[in-house]
Amino acid sequence: MNLTLGREDIVRLCERIEGAQTRAYAIPKLTDEYPGMTIGDGYAVQMALRQRFLAAGHKQVGWKAGLTSKAKMIQMGVNVPSIGFLTDRMARPENSAISTADLVHPRVECEVAFVMKKALQGPGCTRQDVLDATDYVLPAVEIIDSRFSGFKFDLPSVVADNGSSARFVGGGRARYVEDIDLDTLGVVMEKNGELVAMAASAAVLGHPAEAIAMLVNILAELGEGLPAGSFVMSGGITEAIAVKPGDNVIARFQALGSVSMRFVE
Ligand code: OOG
Ligand code: MG
């Protein structure tokens, strides 16, 4: 990947993002100060952030693909998919109360999650490679939280901010990929009993496994593979919906059951 930032700037931006993530405050997007910043620079900051969290004892559980559906690309004004890392500290149990006190401006989105039984290595990873390496899929809700003011960013900035990753909840009913039609799964999201978003899983690059293949190929560019046992989210199928304390959210997935949570102060 094409890098323009030196080591000192990468460390500086990594510390800026880490501060905003851990203390939950909004900052200007990074390209305001570094207009020449590239997507490669964004990943260099993200990888530095990952190293810092791992050194502090966080455990990586997998990865996420982002900006993989038209709904998300249009909502965020970005037209290239991205990836981010997921750790144990971001996981929340199904049906739990999720605090918003440690988040800036959270939003929820419905995703299909994959659990891998075999490792994958790009480049050249295909949808079929992903399906062959998948142990099972399950429904998930990602709680994203951009650290950038107004939830407004460009690709280098959001990649540096680990793709707005904040929390995630897996649940519902796990299924083997050969037992379901992964491209025609309907999903509806309800907030406080009202329908707020609906779509079909094909909205994610035509098939969610396509997003995982894309993720494996980006990982290869970063010099990494996808280990067996990884939990991987394939990206929001619907647009993301803002939540606040008091909100109850339930995502209902055809054939995969539902995932619910509530938000508190
Ligand atoms: C970027 C994160 C995108 C998804 O599923 O598309 C993402 C954002 O929208 O803030 O997680
Ligand atoms: Mg997402």
Side-chain angles (χ1 to χ4, degrees):
M1 289 197 188
N2 175 26
L3 287 180
T4 68
L5 297 182
R7 195 64 219 160
E8 259 174 44
D9 285 325
I10 289 168
V11 170
R12 200 165 151 257
L13 292 179
C14 168
E15 286 171 355
R16 190 183 297 179
I17 296 279
E18 187 193 20
Q21 290 197 357
T22 50
R23 291 191 289 284
Y25 54 77
I27 55 175
K29 63 183 191 312
L30 305 184
T31 44
D32 288 357
E33 190 187 348
Y34 294 90
M37 197 178 157
T38 62
I39 297 168
D41 292 323
Y43 279 113
V45 175
Q46 183 189 128
M47 291 301 139
L49 185 69
R50 172 175 170 244
Q51 277 320 316
R52 264 178 118 82
F53 285 146
L54 296 182
H58 302 207
K59 303 271 180 288
Q60 188 169 355
V61 297
W63 293 92
K64 62 167 257 185
L67 304 166
T68 51
S69 67
K70 268 267 150 36
K72 286 286 307 180
M73 290 185 194
I74 291 168
Q75 182 179 29
M76 305 322 301
V78 172
N79 59 7
V80 180
S82 64
I83 71 168
F85 62 87
L86 299 174
T87 72
D88 57 343
R89 309 285 175 99
M90 303 175 187
R92 292 292 178 274
E94 188 178 3
N95 244 319
S96 63
I98 296 179
S99 169
T100 55
D102 47 359
L103 300 172
V104 185
H105 37 207
R107 295 179 178 179
V108 289
E109 52 191 22
C110 307
E111 309 203 11
V112 177
F114 290 64
V115 174
M116 312 313 296
K117 64 183 174 195
K118 289 190 211 139
L120 283 170
Q121 177 69 56
C125 180
T126 65
R127 177 201 301 197
Q128 194 56 48
D129 295 335
V130 170
L131 293 174
D132 292 344
T134 301
D135 191 357
Y136 56 87
V137 293
L138 71 162
V141 169
E142 179 173 27
I143 297 110
I144 53 170
D145 188 33
S146 177
R147 267 55 63 161
F148 301 120
S149 309
F151 226 112
K152 293 233 159 41
F153 48 67
D154 42 35
L155 199 54
S157 298
V158 67
V159 163
D161 187 26
N162 194 25
S164 309
S165 299
R167 309 282 180 261
F168 63 88
V169 181
R173 174 166 179 217
R175 302 289 299 262
Y176 293 119
V177 280
E178 53 273 24
D179 295 341
I180 54 169
D181 251 337
L182 255 188
D183 50 350
T184 57
L185 280 185
V187 178
V188 302
M189 180 140 67
E190 292 169 21
K191 185 169 88 172
N192 306 325
E194 265 180 53
L195 179 71
V196 287
M198 61 192 292
S201 55
V204 174
L205 300 178
H207 189 296
E210 206 67 67
I212 309 297
M214 178 277 306
L215 179 144
V216 170
N217 293 328
I218 293 180
L219 276 180
E221 286 189 61
L222 299 171
E224 304 252 349
L226 182 65
S230 295
F231 173 87
V232 196
M233 293 198 297
S234 54
I237 303 168
T238 60
E239 61 175 15
I241 304 293
V243 288
K244 56 177 188 334
D247 285 342
N248 281 288
V249 170
I250 179 159
R252 301 182 197 278
F253 291 68
Q254 191 183 355
L256 295 175
S258 60
V259 182
S260 59
M261 71 219 60
R262 64 200 162 87
F263 292 88
V264 294
E265 280 292 342

